[in-house]
Amino acid sequence: MQTPPVTDLSAEPKLSKLEQAKADFCGLDLEPQLADLALQGWESLDEATLTIHLKWLGIFFRPVTPGRFMLRLRLRNGVIQAEQLEVLAEAVDRCGEHGSADITTRQNLQLRGLLFEDMAPLLAAMERVGLTSRQSGHDNPRNITGNPLAGIDPEEVFDTRPLVSAIQERLFAPDGPRNLPRKFNVAVGGAPDSFLLHNDLAFLPAWSGGASGGELGFTVMVGGFFSAQRNALALPLGVWLPPEHLPTFTLAVLRHFEDQGNREVRNKSRLMYLIDALGLDDYRTAVLARFAAFAGTAAADTVRPHDGSNLVCRAPRDGLGVHAQKQDGLHWVGLHVPMGRFRGADLFELARLARTYGSGELRLTEAQNVLLPNVPTDRLEALQQEPLLQRFRLDPGALQAEAVSCTGNAYCSFALIPTKGLAQDVLDALETRIDLPEAVRMHWTGCPNACGQPYMGQIGLMGAKARKDGEMVEAAKIFLGGSIGQEPKLAELHDKGVPLTDLTDVLEQLLLERFGATPKAA
């Protein structure tokens, strides 16, 4: 009789092809080799290097546009200077008709149409002006967001800029995470309208004693995310922190996730699944132990139990138009960027406006718009006469102001529909037909991965297929009811597939029936 083989239950599970590639080496190690790799040509790169490792440098191969790459930056708190923007403008402009830049939903920029041989000199040029694209893609902590009005906001509780910068610097230290199980979003709130519950880790301004007051700091929220399989808003961890400990606490959360997150089932690898597996109480205990190990006993003693109550009480402002800053005599001017997309000439012109009328600084928002801060009163009139502001308006229509869109199938192989162009055409048509009493937040995404955050929209649209006249055609699912105010709620499915040819009519009827729209006078 043959003895059956013995299974070693202590053996490590076999790594997937993706996890094995990540374990083989860190993509950051490719940076010194970029120029040599470019000489060999991108076609010579192996699949793992091309589609995985380069993303640690923010470089994305795009199957839809082979030979034309994307570069995603890291812009802390969405802040960029004119001289930095000009470096990016030059890179985009060199690409001619292929070049463009998009504002992302994480206050960031991604450049499109770049050649692989552009990458090494561009990264060097960026470094000279203080820009980086490090760890901006794949299984890494993504761009850290904060209040786009930080430091100039009359209503702010905290200036989030130094906090966001400190967190990024801590994560980039030698003991920072390099191989997470999945991407990870971090955000810091600093104002009453800092909605951040779609992040894996969010710090919201709060009193240490909850409603009874105490010391100002941050309550910790964990587990928010959107995906094709599941969508969830972040939960209170039950912890309050003083501001100075946010960087080390973030490191503790990420290093615990790096060690304990699920690497076997990729569609169950986001942080919320780890919280579910451990239970919130055990998860909190484990993270606090990591924090104590990194920060020491004295820092750990400043952490307090907390009920999750916070000072965020309303939906985010769009920031568009002219607004007085907390600094006397200065204003920020919010410009609407249709679908968040620029050409190289637009970037050059924005840099010029920031220098001529402000302090040379610009801010990007999660609603994919741009702010020019520090404009003195006596320069406002001249700024408003600039030709660029005829396209990047201060007062867009009620549907345009907060319209958010992913890139769509022009560049993304997952997208089922051309989101940006479609959205612009639909909104333009609707605004010729109806008037609205107030802005309606509309989010467009090309596929179930939900990069355009359709569940956050009062109206959300997702690329799909539907049958019309006996044929399968491009369509959009419609979601309704998303709220990012004091009573947050994810939008729910309203229609599983409206053919794109019918979409404008269907949305017009929804706006008339549910959002107080009225037909324009003939």
Side-chain angles (χ1 to χ4, degrees):
M1 180 176 177
Q2 191 174 18
T3 304
V6 176
T7 301
D8 182 0
L9 297 178
S10 65
E12 292 289 328
K14 183 178 179 181
L15 294 177
S16 67
K17 183 179 179 181
L18 170 60
E19 287 295 334
Q20 185 61 60
K22 290 162 56 183
D24 286 343
F25 71 92
C26 178
L28 295 175
D29 298 336
L30 288 174
E31 186 166 9
Q33 308 171 43
L34 276 181
D36 290 338
L37 292 173
L39 289 174
Q40 299 168 36
W42 68 268
E43 299 94 336
S44 67
L45 299 176
D46 63 79
E47 182 183 1
T49 298
L50 186 63
T51 63
I52 300 172
H53 294 125
L54 282 175
K55 292 179 181 177
W56 265 248
L57 301 175
I59 300 170
F60 289 69
F61 171 70
R62 301 284 76 181
V64 177
T65 57
R68 294 284 176 174
F69 287 73
M70 184 185 87
L71 184 73
R72 180 182 294 152
L73 279 75
R74 293 190 76 97
L75 298 179
R76 292 176 286 191
N77 212 108
V79 178
I80 189 168
Q81 304 298 324
E83 62 269 23
Q84 296 174 326
L85 193 61
E86 285 169 339
V87 169
L88 306 181
E90 288 171 3
V92 170
D93 205 48
R94 280 197 302 270
C95 298
E97 64 180 1
H98 300 287
S100 64
D102 290 341
I103 306 175
T104 78
T105 56
R106 298 202 64 75
Q107 298 177 273
N108 203 2
L109 280 174
Q110 46 196 34
L111 315 184
R112 298 186 180 278
L114 304 173
L115 299 173
F116 190 50
E117 52 264 37
D118 296 335
M119 293 304 176
L122 177 54
L123 293 188
M126 286 165 46
E127 185 176 12
R128 288 193 290 271
V129 294
L131 288 174
T132 185
S133 58
R134 173 178 168 168
Q135 291 179 266
S136 59
H138 218 289
D139 297 342
N140 280 294
R142 301 297 183 87
N143 196 51
I144 303 166
T145 63
N147 178 12
L149 303 172
I152 63 174
D153 186 357
E155 300 182 49
E156 76 180 351
V157 182
F158 285 104
D159 182 345
T160 58
R161 292 172 301 171
L163 297 169
V164 168
S165 292
I167 293 171
Q168 177 165 302
E169 292 306 313
R170 188 66 188 90
L171 298 184
F172 281 5
D175 60 349
R178 301 290 180 271
N179 181 12
L180 297 177
R182 203 68 168 83
K183 71 177 183 179
F184 198 99
N185 292 327
V186 181
V188 183
D193 61 345
S194 293
F195 178 84
L196 303 174
L197 298 183
H198 53 300
N199 288 272
D200 296 277
L201 175 62
F203 299 105
L204 301 185
W207 296 105
S208 59
S212 61
E215 183 182 351
L216 263 179
F218 291 88
T219 193
V220 182
M221 312 293 286
V222 291
F225 77 112
F226 299 145
S227 75
Q229 291 76 34
R230 178 181 174 187
N231 305 287
L233 295 175
L235 308 169
L237 182 60
V239 166
W240 177 94
L241 297 169
E244 62 269 22
H245 294 318
L246 266 58
T248 305
F249 192 87
T250 303
L251 179 67
V253 169
L254 279 161
R255 288 296 302 275
H256 178 262
F257 180 54
E258 188 172 39
D259 291 343
Q260 301 298 321
N262 187 338
R263 295 181 185 271
E264 297 178 47
V265 184
R266 189 159 176 81
N267 63 11
K268 293 187 177 180
S269 58
R270 293 296 292 270
L271 179 66
M272 184 64 91
Y273 290 103
L274 177 59
I275 296 169
D276 289 344
L278 296 178
L280 186 62
D281 291 342
D282 286 350
Y283 174 73
R284 178 174 56 247
T285 299
V287 166
L288 289 175
R290 289 288 181 113
F291 176 67
F294 282 125
T297 304
D301 288 344
T302 66
V303 178
R304 302 177 193 176
H306 199 260
D307 62 5
S309 60
N310 58 76
L311 301 178
V312 177
C313 58
R314 65 175 190 270
R317 293 160 282 180
D318 63 31
L320 300 176
V322 177
H323 301 269
Q325 295 180 191
K326 66 181 183 180
Q327 295 85 2
D328 288 344
L330 294 179
H331 306 77
W332 84 79
V333 179
L335 312 182
H336 169 63
V337 181
M339 297 302 138
R341 175 154 291 171
F342 301 113
R343 296 296 176 184
D346 300 329
L347 299 177
F348 279 122
E349 188 65 0
L350 280 172
R352 183 187 71 80
L353 295 182
R355 276 204 185 95
T356 303
Y357 297 101
S359 59
E361 182 177 284
L362 304 98
R363 310 283 185 92
L364 306 179
T365 77
E366 288 186 289
Q368 300 176 320
N369 293 316
V370 64
L371 313 177
L372 300 179
N374 304 316
V375 180
T377 304
D378 60 5
R379 297 181 190 170
L380 285 171
E381 184 175 354
L383 172 59
Q384 292 177 73
Q385 300 306 311
E386 287 282 352
L388 186 66
L389 272 66
Q390 301 306 306
R391 287 196 298 119
F392 295 174
R393 293 170 51 192
L394 305 184
D395 58 345
L399 292 173
Q400 308 273 2
E402 296 185 77
V404 170
S405 173
C406 76
T407 189
N409 62 10
Y411 294 109
C412 179
S413 58
F414 295 111
L416 300 173
I417 59 174
T419 49
K420 285 188 183 291
L422 168 69
Q424 193 62 57
D425 289 345
V426 169
L427 298 187
D428 287 343
L430 287 170
E431 291 191 344
T432 67
R433 300 184 187 185
I434 58 173
D435 291 311
L436 281 156
E438 57 188 15
V440 174
R441 192 178 61 259
M442 198 176 291
H443 284 243
W444 300 71
T445 198
C447 77
N449 289 324
C451 297
Q453 304 170 335
Y455 307 105
M456 290 171 60
Q458 292 168 281
I459 299 176
L461 298 108
M462 178 186 292
K465 297 291 183 182
R467 189 170 294 279
K468 182 176 182 179
D469 299 330
E471 295 184 3
M472 295 302 294
V473 298
E474 291 181 326
K477 295 181 180 179
I478 297 178
F479 298 82
L480 295 178
S483 172
I484 53 177
Q486 190 168 20
E487 302 282 336
K489 180 187 175 186
L490 296 179
E492 297 179 352
L493 183 64
H494 170 74
D495 195 311
K496 65 180 181 179
V498 176
L500 298 188
T501 51
D502 300 335
L503 188 57
T504 303
D505 292 340
V506 170
L507 288 174
E508 179 183 7
Q509 197 60 35
L510 276 175
L511 290 164
L512 290 168
E513 293 175 356
R514 299 185 178 227
F515 293 90
T518 54
K520 281 190 179 293

